[in-house]
Amino acid sequence: MRAVRANQNSLANDSLPASDSLLCSLEQDFRLWYNFIAENQENTGDWKAMKIYKLGEEVLREKCEEVKPEEINDEFRSVLDQMFITMEEANGVGLAAPQVGIAKRFFVVIADDDERRVFINPTITKTSDDLVDYEEGCLSIPGFYENIKRPSTVSVTALDRNGKRFSIEDAKGLLARVIQHENDHLDGILYIDRGDDEFKRKTEEQFRKRAERAAKKAGEKAKKQAKIAAKKAAKEKRSDA
């Protein structure tokens, strides 16, 4: 979830690239998909920023699989650390595994209390009946915000970064909001699915057009590089003759 532009105080007071087919096969083996993710990161100093997948990429619509106990190891914790770094650099307050191309059930959160929280295989056990309206954004849908109604409080149980079970009872404010937003990601649900249908349609259309422009640009670049390579090869061939 992206840090919202305004209203955070009122929320607290009111208790508020690889192909997707390859990702699907890699998610069966933790070591394989960990190595795959590591190879597709961008260097940022001593850390690596992970690619954040955007609206329209299939991994964001997958229902994620649970993390197996044996997968919670040092490599897994390294992924968690990189997710925190990636999230903070992007001015986010929550980041779910599918947003970085991993179809597994875990997410990281830093809400307004600045505590780093890891939720592995989370289960929401209770939500309040009263709903709170609040403007949400998402790192996978940058630049778009919409008011979304969600329960004001939520209880959740999950595993921490070491695989130890914990519970949070009646979380409220921004923490409750982010937990629900990120937990949705694990079921392939985006915040735009819970809002206005027309807003969702227009947002998806804009991202579709962006993807088409990016694909066209990449194709033109590949053709240009191929022409340069062909000219270079022809020149070398003439020189050898």
Side-chain angles (χ1 to χ4, degrees), residues 222-238:
K223 287 181 180 179
K224 184 177 180 180
Q225 290 176 336
K227 286 182 179 180
I228 293 173
K231 289 181 178 179
K232 183 178 180 181
K235 183 177 181 180
E236 291 175 348
K237 187 176 181 179
R238 289 195 296 271

mmCIF file of all heavy atoms in Angstrom, residues 222-238:
data_model
loop_
_atom_site.group_PDB
_atom_site.id
_atom_site.type_symbol
_atom_site.label_atom_id
_atom_site.label_comp_id
_atom_site.label_asym_id
_atom_site.label_seq_id
_atom_site.Cartn_x
_atom_site.Cartn_y
_atom_site.Cartn_z
ATOM 1 N N ALA A 222 14.619 -3.086 -29.771
ATOM 2 C CA ALA A 222 15.202 -4.367 -30.160
ATOM 3 C C ALA A 222 15.530 -4.397 -31.648
ATOM 4 O O ALA A 222 16.582 -4.911 -32.063
ATOM 5 C CB ALA A 222 14.241 -5.495 -29.809
ATOM 6 N N LYS A 223 14.638 -3.833 -32.476
ATOM 7 C CA LYS A 223 14.881 -3.786 -33.920
ATOM 8 C C LYS A 223 16.108 -2.934 -34.232
ATOM 9 O O LYS A 223 16.926 -3.277 -35.083
ATOM 10 C CB LYS A 223 13.657 -3.221 -34.632
ATOM 11 C CG LYS A 223 12.476 -4.172 -34.697
ATOM 12 C CD LYS A 223 11.312 -3.539 -35.456
ATOM 13 C CE LYS A 223 10.116 -4.475 -35.534
ATOM 14 N NZ LYS A 223 8.974 -3.848 -36.256
ATOM 15 N N LYS A 224 16.213 -1.800 -33.522
ATOM 16 C CA LYS A 224 17.351 -0.912 -33.746
ATOM 17 C C LYS A 224 18.655 -1.593 -33.361
ATOM 18 O O LYS A 224 19.655 -1.498 -34.095
ATOM 19 C CB LYS A 224 17.164 0.363 -32.917
ATOM 20 C CG LYS A 224 18.245 1.403 -33.145
ATOM 21 C CD LYS A 224 17.946 2.665 -32.339
ATOM 22 C CE LYS A 224 19.025 3.721 -32.568
ATOM 23 N NZ LYS A 224 18.744 4.961 -31.798
ATOM 24 N N GLN A 225 18.644 -2.300 -32.247
ATOM 25 C CA GLN A 225 19.849 -3.003 -31.816
ATOM 26 C C GLN A 225 20.210 -4.118 -32.787
ATOM 27 O O GLN A 225 21.393 -4.374 -33.045
ATOM 28 C CB GLN A 225 19.635 -3.562 -30.406
ATOM 29 C CG GLN A 225 19.568 -2.497 -29.317
ATOM 30 C CD GLN A 225 19.250 -3.067 -27.951
ATOM 31 O OE1 GLN A 225 18.648 -4.140 -27.827
ATOM 32 N NE2 GLN A 225 19.639 -2.355 -26.905
ATOM 33 N N ALA A 226 19.184 -4.781 -33.334
ATOM 34 C CA ALA A 226 19.431 -5.858 -34.295
ATOM 35 C C ALA A 226 20.059 -5.306 -35.575
ATOM 36 O O ALA A 226 20.971 -5.922 -36.157
ATOM 37 C CB ALA A 226 18.120 -6.578 -34.614
ATOM 38 N N LYS A 227 19.595 -4.134 -36.042
ATOM 39 C CA LYS A 227 20.163 -3.510 -37.237
ATOM 40 C C LYS A 227 21.619 -3.125 -37.011
ATOM 41 O O LYS A 227 22.472 -3.326 -37.877
ATOM 42 C CB LYS A 227 19.344 -2.272 -37.609
ATOM 43 C CG LYS A 227 17.994 -2.579 -38.224
ATOM 44 C CD LYS A 227 17.279 -1.299 -38.612
ATOM 45 C CE LYS A 227 15.925 -1.589 -39.258
ATOM 46 N NZ LYS A 227 15.224 -0.327 -39.638
ATOM 47 N N ILE A 228 21.892 -2.556 -35.822
ATOM 48 C CA ILE A 228 23.265 -2.165 -35.495
ATOM 49 C C ILE A 228 24.174 -3.379 -35.480
ATOM 50 O O ILE A 228 25.296 -3.366 -36.001
ATOM 51 C CB ILE A 228 23.301 -1.439 -34.137
ATOM 52 C CG1 ILE A 228 22.562 -0.095 -34.243
ATOM 53 C CG2 ILE A 228 24.734 -1.232 -33.674
ATOM 54 C CD1 ILE A 228 22.405 0.624 -32.925
ATOM 55 N N ALA A 229 23.666 -4.473 -34.867
ATOM 56 C CA ALA A 229 24.460 -5.703 -34.789
ATOM 57 C C ALA A 229 24.702 -6.277 -36.182
ATOM 58 O O ALA A 229 25.799 -6.774 -36.480
ATOM 59 C CB ALA A 229 23.736 -6.724 -33.915
ATOM 60 N N ALA A 230 23.689 -6.202 -37.046
ATOM 61 C CA ALA A 230 23.836 -6.731 -38.400
ATOM 62 C C ALA A 230 24.856 -5.928 -39.198
ATOM 63 O O ALA A 230 25.682 -6.487 -39.930
ATOM 64 C CB ALA A 230 22.479 -6.708 -39.101
ATOM 65 N N LYS A 231 24.815 -4.597 -39.065
ATOM 66 C CA LYS A 231 25.779 -3.746 -39.759
ATOM 67 C C LYS A 231 27.194 -4.012 -39.266
ATOM 68 O O LYS A 231 28.137 -4.054 -40.049
ATOM 69 C CB LYS A 231 25.412 -2.283 -39.548
ATOM 70 C CG LYS A 231 24.162 -1.831 -40.294
ATOM 71 C CD LYS A 231 23.886 -0.358 -40.053
ATOM 72 C CE LYS A 231 22.669 0.107 -40.823
ATOM 73 N NZ LYS A 231 22.369 1.558 -40.583
ATOM 74 N N LYS A 232 27.320 -4.209 -37.951
ATOM 75 C CA LYS A 232 28.633 -4.472 -37.376
ATOM 76 C C LYS A 232 29.182 -5.800 -37.880
ATOM 77 O O LYS A 232 30.366 -5.905 -38.219
ATOM 78 C CB LYS A 232 28.528 -4.488 -35.855
ATOM 79 C CG LYS A 232 29.865 -4.688 -35.159
ATOM 80 C CD LYS A 232 29.703 -4.637 -33.644
ATOM 81 C CE LYS A 232 31.049 -4.839 -32.967
ATOM 82 N NZ LYS A 232 30.891 -4.821 -31.470
ATOM 83 N N ALA A 233 28.293 -6.802 -37.931
ATOM 84 C CA ALA A 233 28.737 -8.118 -38.414
ATOM 85 C C ALA A 233 29.152 -8.063 -39.881
ATOM 86 O O ALA A 233 30.130 -8.678 -40.281
ATOM 87 C CB ALA A 233 27.585 -9.125 -38.221
ATOM 88 N N ALA A 234 28.370 -7.294 -40.684
ATOM 89 C CA ALA A 234 28.686 -7.173 -42.112
ATOM 90 C C ALA A 234 30.029 -6.469 -42.305
ATOM 91 O O ALA A 234 30.824 -6.824 -43.176
ATOM 92 C CB ALA A 234 27.559 -6.413 -42.812
ATOM 93 N N LYS A 235 30.263 -5.443 -41.492
ATOM 94 C CA LYS A 235 31.512 -4.696 -41.580
ATOM 95 C C LYS A 235 32.706 -5.576 -41.217
ATOM 96 O O LYS A 235 33.748 -5.554 -41.876
ATOM 97 C CB LYS A 235 31.456 -3.478 -40.660
ATOM 98 C CG LYS A 235 32.679 -2.585 -40.738
ATOM 99 C CD LYS A 235 32.514 -1.369 -39.852
ATOM 100 C CE LYS A 235 33.725 -0.462 -39.943
ATOM 101 N NZ LYS A 235 33.580 0.729 -39.073
ATOM 102 N N GLU A 236 32.548 -6.392 -40.167
ATOM 103 C CA GLU A 236 33.626 -7.288 -39.757
ATOM 104 C C GLU A 236 33.889 -8.349 -40.832
ATOM 105 O O GLU A 236 35.045 -8.743 -41.060
ATOM 106 C CB GLU A 236 33.256 -7.946 -38.433
ATOM 107 C CG GLU A 236 33.249 -6.984 -37.256
ATOM 108 C CD GLU A 236 32.758 -7.629 -35.962
ATOM 109 O OE1 GLU A 236 32.213 -8.761 -36.039
ATOM 110 O OE2 GLU A 236 32.912 -7.015 -34.900
ATOM 111 N N LYS A 237 32.813 -8.788 -41.473
ATOM 112 C CA LYS A 237 32.963 -9.789 -42.526
ATOM 113 C C LYS A 237 33.748 -9.230 -43.706
ATOM 114 O O LYS A 237 34.605 -9.909 -44.281
ATOM 115 C CB LYS A 237 31.581 -10.256 -42.990
ATOM 116 C CG LYS A 237 31.618 -11.413 -43.969
ATOM 117 C CD LYS A 237 30.217 -11.874 -44.298
ATOM 118 C CE LYS A 237 30.264 -13.057 -45.271
ATOM 119 N NZ LYS A 237 28.886 -13.528 -45.591
ATOM 120 N N ARG A 238 33.456 -7.969 -44.075
ATOM 121 C CA ARG A 238 34.200 -7.333 -45.173
ATOM 122 C C ARG A 238 35.657 -7.123 -44.807
ATOM 123 O O ARG A 238 36.551 -7.286 -45.644
ATOM 124 C CB ARG A 238 33.555 -5.981 -45.514
ATOM 125 C CG ARG A 238 32.191 -6.111 -46.203
ATOM 126 C CD ARG A 238 31.797 -4.778 -46.839
ATOM 127 N NE ARG A 238 31.620 -3.733 -45.824
ATOM 128 C CZ ARG A 238 30.485 -3.466 -45.195
ATOM 129 N NH1 ARG A 238 29.388 -4.198 -45.492
ATOM 130 N NH2 ARG A 238 30.405 -2.500 -44.333
#
